[in-house]
Every structure is written in C-alpha cells, then in structure tokens.
Amino acid sequence: MNPFSSGTRLRDMIRAIRACKTAAEERAVVRKECASIRAAISEDDPDYRHRNLAKLMFIHMLGYPTHFGQMECLKLIASPGFPEKRIGYLGLMLLLDERQEVLMLVTNSIKQDLNQTNQYIVGLALCALGNICSAEMARDLAPEVERLLQFRDPNVRKKAALCTIRIIKKVPDLAENFINPAAALLKEKHHGVLLTGVQLCTEICKVSTEALEYLRKKCITGLVKVLRDLTNSPYAPEYDISGITDPFLHIRLLKLFHVLGHGDADASDTMSDILAQVATKTETNKNAGNAILYECVATILSIEDNGGLRVLAVNILGRFLSSRDNNIRYVALNMLMKAIALDSQAVQRHRATILECVKDPDASIRKRALELVYLLVNESNVKPLTKELVDYLEVSEAEFKGDLTAKICSIVEKFSPEKIWYIDQMVKVLTQAGNYVKDEVWHALIIVITNAPNLHGYTVRALYKAVQTAGGQETLVRVAVWCIGEYGEMLVGNSGMLDVEERINVTEADAVDVIETAIRCHSSDLTTRAMCLIALLKLSSRYPSCTKRINDIILQQKGSLVLELQQRAIEFNSIIERHEKIRSALVERMPVLDEATYSGRRAGSVPAAVSTSQGALPKIPNGVVKPASAALVDLLDLSSDADQAPSSSGGDYLQDLLGVDLAPASQGTNQTDKRGADVLLDLLSIGAPPAQSSSSMLDMLSSGQDNKSAVGMLDNLASPSAPSAQASSPGASSSMMDLLDGFGPSPSVPVAETNGPTYPSIVAFESNSLKITYKFSKEPGNPQTTIIEAQFVNKSPDIYSNFVFQAAVPKFLQLHMDPASGNILPESGNGSITQKLRVSNSQHGKKSLVMRMRISYKANDKDVLEEGQVNNFPRGL
Amino acid sequence: MIRGVIIMNDQGKPRLIRFYEFQPVEKQQELVRSIYKILCSRAENVSNFVKVDSLFGPDVRLVYKTFATLYFVFIFDNSENELAMLDLMQVFVETLDKCFSNVCELDIVFNFNKVHTILDEIILGGQVLETSSSDVVMAVEDISKLEKNSNSIIPSIPGWQGR
C-alpha cells in the first residue's frame, strides 16, 4: 500500500463504521474519512481515486454529503481501465445530481465509450446513460444509441433498447428515428433483446402516434404469433419462473397489446383470440401464472369492446378474490375498481365475494374492498349492503371503524330510500361506532330529523333506547340529548307511535336521567355538556314535574371551571327561577332547519365551512350551536364576524336557533319573538330581511342594550329610534345583558355589519373633471361577495372618448369586472357610464375592501390618465 | 417504470439505495425512514403491496419482501404489473444468492458496489433488462473477470473480490 496515502481500505472503513455504537461516533468516523478523501482529491492521486469514490458511495448511502467527489467520477470515467470506469459510472449514477453543467462534461466521455469495441465498456456507458440521461445528452448521443441497437453482442443491444426508452422520454421528437430499429427488435430470437424490444415499442407508442400506427399496421400479426408460440410451447426453459414459461415476456407482450388495442377495433379484433387463449389456458396455482392472467385482464379491459372477453376477465378477477394469496386478492380489487367503470353489471355479480373481502384480516385489502363496495352501491342494493356493513361494524377492528363508519354514513345519506330507514341506520351506526362519526354527519342527521315531523316521536324513543345500551358513544349521546330536549314530551307521552314500534314506558325522570348521566360523565366534552344544559333548560318547561331537579342539575354546573358552562348554568338558572312566565315561549321547539340549504352548503362550500368552524369556533362561546349551526354556515359567518366586531344581533340569531329565544327577555312579547323567527327564516333562506323588519329589530335590540356603543351604532345607521337607546331600563335588561354578553363577548358593534342589507353609496373618486360613485349590493347567500355598481360622470365641458376604467385589489380580494355600458362619456354630467364590479372578500368580516383605480380617456384629442385609491368603503363589505 | 430499489435491514439501516429518478441525498434518507416506518407497522400475513402515493405521488406502490434480516423493496408506478414485480424481486434475490453463494446481510454490506452492478444487469433506467438469473450471473462473472485481469496493474479493487 502506498505509505503516503492516509486512506484505509474500503473494507476497513465499512468495518469501522459498523463498529460505531452511537450516531456521534459514526459521524466522527465519516468526518475523518471524508477529510482524508478530500485531501487525496486535492493531491489528485490517481491510484486510490476509485477506492475513494467507492468509499464515498458508501458514505452517500448513509446520508452524508458527498458532492465534493463529483469531479472524481468524471476523471474515473475518462481513465482507460475497466475497474476505474466501472466505479466512475456507478458514482455518476449514484452521486451526481441533475446539475446540467456537470453532466455536460461527461457527455463526451460517454460518447467515446459508446464507440469502444469492448462490449463491457459500451455496456457500462449505456447503463449510465439509461439512468441519468438529460434532454441535451439525449440529443447528442441518440445516433450512437441507435447504431448500438444493431450491435453484435445481444447484451449491448438490450441495454441500447432500454437506453432508447430514456432518450425518447426525455426528447419525444427523437422517437420517429427509432421506429424502424425498434420494430426490427421484435423479430429477435434472443430473449433479453426481445423483452427489451417489446418494452421499447410500448414506450415509443406512448409518445408517438406515428409509431403506434406503424406497429398496428406492420407488426401486430407477428406479435400475436410470438405470444401464441410462447403460450403453446416451452419457448425457453431457462426463463421459466416456477414452471410458467417466461412470465415477463408474456406480460410485456400483453402490455404492448394493451397499447395497440386501445381505441382500435381492428387491432383489438386481431388479438382477441390469443387473449382468450391466454386467459383460459394459463395455470393459476403459481404467482407467475396469476401475474400473466392479471396483465391479460388489464389488456382485455383496455381494448375495444368485446363483451365476451370482458365477462371472462371480470370472472378471472372474481376467482382471484377467493384466492388464499393476499397479494392476488389485493390486485384483483384494484383491477375491479377499474372494471366497474366499464361493466358494472359483471362486477355486481361478484358482490358477495367482494363483501367478504371487507372482512379480510389484511387491512389494505379491507380498505380496497370497502372502496369497491362503496362504488357498487346503488338504489336497488343499498339495503342489503348496508345491513352487511352495519353488522360487520360491530365486530370490526377499532382502527377500521373510522373508515367503515364514514363509508356507511356516506352510502346511507346518498342512497337512502326513505327517512325512517335513514334514521334507523344512523342510530345503528351511532350505537356501534358513535365515536367515529364525523361532526357533519350527525349535524345532517339532526337536520333530517327536524324535517320529518311524523318521525319525531319514533326517533326520540329509538335514541332513548339506544343510549341506554351505548352510553359511551359520545355522538349518539349528543344526538339523543338534543332530541330529548326538543321532543321530550313525545318520549314520555308515546305520541306519534308508528305501527312498527313497541310501546315503551319512559317517565319524565327517566329522560332527565339520561341527560344527567351525560352531563356528569367524565368523558363528555364541552360540546356535549353545553348541549345537555340547553336540553335541560328546554325540559324544565316541557317536564313541569322535574323543574326542581333540573334546576339542581343546572346549579351544579355553576361551579364549572369552564367559563362557557358556568355562564350557561347561571343564566339558565336565572331563567328558570325568575322568568317562569316567559320560559315556555323561550324554549319553544327549534324551527325546522332547511335541508336544501344545508346540503347545498355542504356540497358547495365545504372548505369554507370547515375553515370557519375550525378557525372561529374555539373563540366563540357559542361553540355549542353546532347542531344547529352546522346547517347554518351563515351563522358561523356571522359569529366569526363577531370575533372582530362581535355583534349582539348575531348572537341573537344564534340564540333563536338554539331555541333559547332571548328577545322576550327584554320585551316579553310574542311579537318580537315572531320577528326573531322571521329574521331567522330569512337568514335560513338566505334572503335579505326586509328593511322595516330589520329596523324594528334594531329598535328592539337597542332598547335592550344600555351600553354606549349602541348610540354610536344607531348614529351610524341613522335609525329613527335612536333615543330609545338611552331610555332603556336597566332593571329589565340586566338578565338580558347577562345572556347577551354570554353569547357575544365584546362590546362594540355596528349592527350593519351583520344584518344590514343595504349600504350607503359612496363617492369613490372625485376630481375637477370626473366623479365616480359606487353603489353596493350583496348577492343573497353570499356575504363575501359585494356587487358594486360604479357610475362615472363627466364634470368637464368636453366630451370624453375611449373611456376605460381599471381597478386593482389586494390579494385577499378577488375582482371581477363586467364590461362597461359604453366608452363615451358626454360632457357636463349629461349622461353617465356604468360598470358592474364584483368583489369577493376572502377575509370577510376581518378586512374591509380597498381598491386602486386608474381611469384613462381622451378629451380634446388629448390622452388623460387619472388615478386614485378608494379607502372609504363602508365597513363589513 | 420502477422508481427505486431499496435494501435495508430490520433496523432500518439502508444497505442499498437506488433511485431511477433523481432524489437528493436528504430526501433519500427521508424516504428510507418513511418506508421503514411503513414496513415496521405492517402485520404479518398481509399483502406485500403498499400504496405510497403520499411519498412518491399518485399511483405509486411498493412491494416488499423480507429475507432473513433484510427488507427488499421495489418502488414502481402503475405501468408495472404488481405480481411481476414480486417475481422480479425473486429473480434479484436468486441472482444475489448465486453470486455470493448463500447471500447474507454482510455480503451486501461489504460488496455493495457489486450488488449495484448485479442490479444494473437486471434493471436499467427503471425498466426490466433481464429476467433470467443465469444470464445475469453470466454477465456479472464476465465483468468480474475483467476486473481481476486489470488487478495486476492497479492496486486494489475495493469491495469486489468479496469472500
């Protein structure tokens, strides 16, 4: 060994690294090695260059940086000896990144090596080229590779074929040069060359339609013959895999057929016989045989319609499903997923087998099978399939329950033939796996329940029974608590009995028991407990006999450490004790929640809904409005507004929805109550409340609010009833204030922000020559979007032509401009141009609109340009 | 296309990493770690295929098999036949077995660059080059001879002679 070389042998370095006990030790060894390699590199010592590079490759595998060795690869490749070249090319493939300039340097060396006579060196160069070739190298070296496709040694020919694949992938334009040489490879007798030739043809067809046409015309009969020979006779025994003749060539040929037959009826016709033969003759007791069959099925499914073959293919997959080999069941399910789009009838026939796979011990197979079952469900089979799945839910493993539950819920929602069946299934799912049910699912369930008046009694009784057996399923408890709160008297009175039901005897105390258990349960979270409190409040009026007990339960929460619960408890307690007169009106049943709006919301703006509920809910004390508010993203929008400028009127709507109608607390009249509901309905149908209604609403609100901001707010709105704000009586409003404060935590609010449907027009721009006014309106149901009608008026004595208005907005806004009504603006205000702008505010409620504009026109044959910024948009747009 | 071949031991130490699409070294380590995590959590008697589109993009799967202390992993996209990949892995392992006569983890550790050369005779640029292990062994032996003949002139051929 060279005494001046500091390096150790590769073997010793690996040993040293393996001997390291800790990562720090390993780093130290590697650091030392790298230092000595760097030193050797700077000395430019050729003797140990390839050994050092081999070390670097090992170091690279361990994840350490080795970029300093890149140039060494190039030097080794350029050196004459085979061992150096081998390591050099290996380093090139492993260490080099795709930095163009380094690769440029290597192109020439590769070119020289491709022209060598030594087939092994040519092989090395081809291999490296096939692995790292860039587009530029592809262009430079394509002629060499093309020549090598006819090289005398088959090992070089096959490498050249695969190298060509890389080249045409990088530069598809080069494909046409390779069509003829590639087609020539199909006539090869050498196994490796034929195999790679078929692959090359498949890839060429993918990038070049010309090649595809050529092969369809010239080669397809030959290929069919090759496959037939292969299927019928032991073509080359040395290529057998477990007794199956050369499965890889089979598969490659079938893949080529896949491409050739796709979208071409004639070609499909030519190959259908041999496909049928492969599909029926191949042995299925070995993996290799199944691999061929699987590929054959893929090809059959992709070629042009041949009903008989397709059924055969799906039946093969059906047989795969009952195989004992997990891998085969797995791939069969994958393929059936594709087949279902082509021939769902054929797949439906294997429904029972697929359903069995849902119960497979292998998790990935279960998951696949479940997805497949999901695709198979339709109106006619939803009932039996759901039954199977729900039954399985009971015994399935915990980690699978989430997926399974989600799919069942989705199936039930999508295909439910009638409401009672839907409710039944949902109660079953909640009972089995309530903890896995997503929020929107039980929100939807509550909405369906409110919309089915004839089933209220049935549902509440079913839930009562379910909760007795499965009290640990939190979601079930929530839905049950909500329903008992709403329909408590139907539970006790057995009213609205259906024929299918059995009578149950539930006393008022029993019903309160359920809620008491839920609120006391350690595992119940804030949402559940808060829902319990509301249910109790409602029951205090529905169950007169239990009022005292209910009040006691509520009082226990007075000491809750959670502010929200404590506050609710105190407020509800005061309602029960001090406002008996109005209590029944206060806790009336929830208005029916609008199903269509909810599903529209869910389908249309799920992300928005999700972001609102995630972002805003934690801050909103009304976190518990979930059951209702899920339906009402509107409301969440309102309440997220409330984050910044919380609005007592927003709070009021929320309480309306909860059924905790607070309006009477201040005025105690049914009239306001009704008006509240009107507003609510308006909100639900997403229509802007009529003007009078909203002003009287303000009236009412302001009288209930004795804080100073009310004045400002009313000034803002120029409401006629301003004086009443100061005239409010503190005594009457004190409990009201408790409640309101509870729901809308911070003091100042321009009400206009949340319910004002009209906004004052503004003068957006005014100069000596031009005046621009903006009128605002909102699209119903879309609070984020403001429609601005811009009006342009010419103040000068000259007529303006080529009038163009441009506007720009910051990123959180989106601007859409309709065409203007014209481009000529008559002089001295004798007419105007209008243009509609539509602005969507993604930060609605947080940021106000702002806009820049530029106006250009021609006056007196002179181009005029005016610019301005609009900062005086009304708040809350 | 085959995206990559990884051999690692049951402790997650990589023994051979080969990607056919460029991956920076940090990314390679990260992928090896994520794959190891996936493989560790696989139960016994489950299928050998895992969907890894979270790591490699849509429709990419891996097939793995354990041989003694080693995990062999092939990563491939939807243009490959899963079951054939399983057979190809068998070919690779058989070839290693023939080249090292009864291969074990240490053979692969100390002769990693020979393993790379063997792999290069089976897969080239993510495409299958040869599926007959005897042909591969022949090609590798030819290269071996060439290395040895050059040996007289040049000092040591690291990690080639093997055992």
Side-chain angles (χ1 to χ4, degrees), chain B residues 80-91:
Chain B
E80 297 293 337
N81 179 318
E82 290 102 325
L83 299 173
M85 284 297 111
L86 209 55
D87 281 336
L88 188 67
M89 185 177 287
Q90 192 62 40
V91 170

Side-chain angles (χ1 to χ4, degrees), chain A residues 355 358 373 385-393 404 408 411:
Chain A
L355 211 48
V358 175
V373 167
L385 276 179
T386 311
K387 183 175 181 311
E388 284 278 348
L389 293 179
V390 171
D391 287 349
Y392 179 59
L393 191 56
L404 190 55
I408 295 176
I411 290 171

Side-chain angles (χ1 to χ4, degrees), chain A residues 10-11 14-15 18 26 47 50-51 54 57-58 60-64 82-84 86-87 90 93-94 96-98 118 120 126-127 130-131 158-159 162 165-166 169 191-192 195-196 199 203 206 238-239 241 246 248 251-252 255 287-288 290-291 294-295 326-328 330-331 334 362 364 368, chain B residues 1 13-18 20 22 25 28-29 42 45-51 61 78-88 91 105-106 109-114 116-117 120-121 124-132 134-135 139 142-143 146-147 150 154-160 162:
Chain A
L10 172 66
R11 183 166 281 268
I14 296 175
R15 264 197 205 111
R18 281 172 56 80
E26 184 186 292
D47 289 355
H50 68 312
R51 182 219 267 168
M57 284 188 256
F58 191 83
H60 177 84
M61 180 174 69
L62 297 176
Y64 296 94
F82 180 79
E84 286 88 350
R86 189 182 67 84
I87 293 288
L90 197 52
M93 291 185 278
L94 293 178
L96 250 62
D97 60 26
E98 286 181 327
N118 182 333
Y120 298 102
L126 278 174
C127 180
N131 279 313
K158 68 185 184 191
K159 284 183 182 169
L162 293 190
I165 294 181
R166 172 96 185 189
K169 272 188 181 167
H191 166 260
L195 183 74
T196 51
Q199 288 183 75
E203 296 296 330
K206 284 183 189 163
E238 65 266 36
Y239 302 115
I241 301 280
D246 203 350
F248 292 100
I251 289 166
R252 292 296 160 189
K255 275 192 190 297
N287 181 56
N290 285 324
Y294 176 59
E295 198 59 53
N326 294 334
N327 293 329
I328 292 176
Y330 178 87
V331 295
N334 276 338
D362 183 341
S364 48
R368 289 295 148 120
Chain B
M1 172 175 174
K13 274 265 172 211
R15 293 308 181 204
L16 177 106
I17 304 177
R18 193 65 177 272
Y20 294 101
F22 176 73
V25 61
Q28 290 190 2
Q29 297 297 317
R42 297 281 290 181
N45 300 324
V46 298
S47 74
N48 297 70
F49 305 113
V50 187
K51 234 178 145 183
R61 274 153 284 179
N78 60 354
S79 67
E80 297 293 337
N81 179 318
E82 290 102 325
L83 299 173
M85 284 297 111
L86 209 55
D87 281 336
L88 188 67
V91 170
E105 186 177 342
L106 282 183
V109 174
F110 284 106
N111 302 291
F112 71 95
N113 66 61
K114 183 171 183 177
H116 273 294
T117 303
D120 279 340
E121 291 297 322
L124 195 161
Q127 308 286 342
V128 181
L129 181 66
E130 184 55 75
T131 57
S132 144
S134 48
D135 279 14
D142 286 348
I143 294 176
L146 215 57
E147 288 266 336
S150 327
I154 297 179
S156 74
I157 309 304
W160 184 258

Side-chain angles (χ1 to χ4, degrees), chain A residues 95-356:
Chain A
L95 305 185
L96 250 62
D97 60 26
E98 286 181 327
R99 283 189 320 187
Q100 218 59 35
E101 61 265 42
V102 183
L103 285 184
M104 289 277 281
L105 294 175
V106 86
T107 310
N108 208 26
S109 304
I110 294 183
K111 192 168 198 159
Q112 275 170 12
D113 284 347
L114 289 177
N115 288 316
Q116 292 253 5
T117 46
N118 182 333
Q119 70 216 52
Y120 298 102
I121 293 181
V122 177
L124 286 179
L126 278 174
C127 180
L129 190 62
N131 279 313
I132 58 138
C133 174
S134 66
E136 292 203 0
M137 289 168 90
R139 286 203 187 84
D140 288 346
L141 299 173
E144 269 73 22
V145 177
E146 192 187 331
R147 188 175 49 75
L148 290 172
L149 285 174
Q150 280 122 37
F151 198 82
R152 63 191 146 75
D153 181 50
N155 282 327
V156 170
R157 288 207 296 278
K158 68 185 184 191
K159 284 183 182 169
L162 293 190
C163 200
T164 310
I165 294 181
R166 172 96 185 189
I167 289 175
I168 58 169
K169 272 188 181 167
K170 288 285 166 188
V171 188
D173 297 347
L174 290 171
E176 53 188 83
N177 302 347
F178 286 98
I179 297 175
N180 282 317
L185 293 178
L186 297 178
K187 301 191 182 81
E188 285 271 358
K189 291 283 174 264
H190 184 274
H191 166 260
V193 183
L194 183 55
L195 183 74
T196 51
V198 172
Q199 288 183 75
L200 173 58
C201 288
T202 313
E203 296 296 330
I204 283 194
C205 289
K206 284 183 189 163
V207 296
S208 153
T209 45
E210 192 189 333
L212 185 60
E213 288 309 317
Y214 179 84
L215 286 173
R216 273 181 186 156
K217 242 185 260 156
K218 304 267 171 168
C219 303
I220 207 155
T221 358
L223 285 168
V224 169
K225 184 169 176 304
V226 172
L227 184 56
R228 182 168 296 129
D229 291 348
L230 188 59
T231 316
N232 288 337
S233 65
Y235 170 79
E238 65 266 36
Y239 302 115
D240 284 9
I241 301 280
S242 47
I244 306 287
T245 316
D246 203 350
F248 292 100
L249 187 55
H250 261 109
I251 289 166
R252 292 296 160 189
L253 283 168
L254 288 167
K255 275 192 190 297
L256 182 53
F257 283 177
H258 184 144
V259 177
L260 294 178
H262 187 70
D264 187 302
D266 288 343
S268 304
D269 206 40
T270 320
M271 63 184 70
S272 61
D273 277 356
I274 184 65
L275 290 179
Q277 200 186 341
V278 172
T280 45
K281 272 197 161 180
T282 310
E283 280 189 52
T284 56
N285 49 1
K286 291 278 164 39
N287 181 56
N290 285 324
I292 296 175
L293 276 179
Y294 176 59
E295 198 59 53
C296 189
V297 167
T299 303
I300 289 172
L301 292 179
S302 85
I303 66 170
E304 285 316 291
D305 187 37
N306 185 325
L309 272 184
R310 203 162 272 174
V311 171
L312 183 64
V314 174
N315 286 345
I316 291 175
L317 294 178
R319 220 163 52 223
F320 276 11
L321 285 184
S322 28
S323 158
R324 265 180 300 143
D325 185 338
N326 294 334
N327 293 329
I328 292 176
R329 289 201 302 276
Y330 178 87
V331 295
L333 287 169
N334 276 338
M335 192 60 84
L336 280 169
M337 212 98 80
K338 291 181 197 156
I340 200 169
L342 296 165
D343 192 347
S344 73
Q345 278 309 309
V347 182
Q348 288 281 4
R349 249 174 273 144
H350 299 281
R351 207 169 56 209
T353 335
I354 297 169
L355 211 48
E356 278 311 300

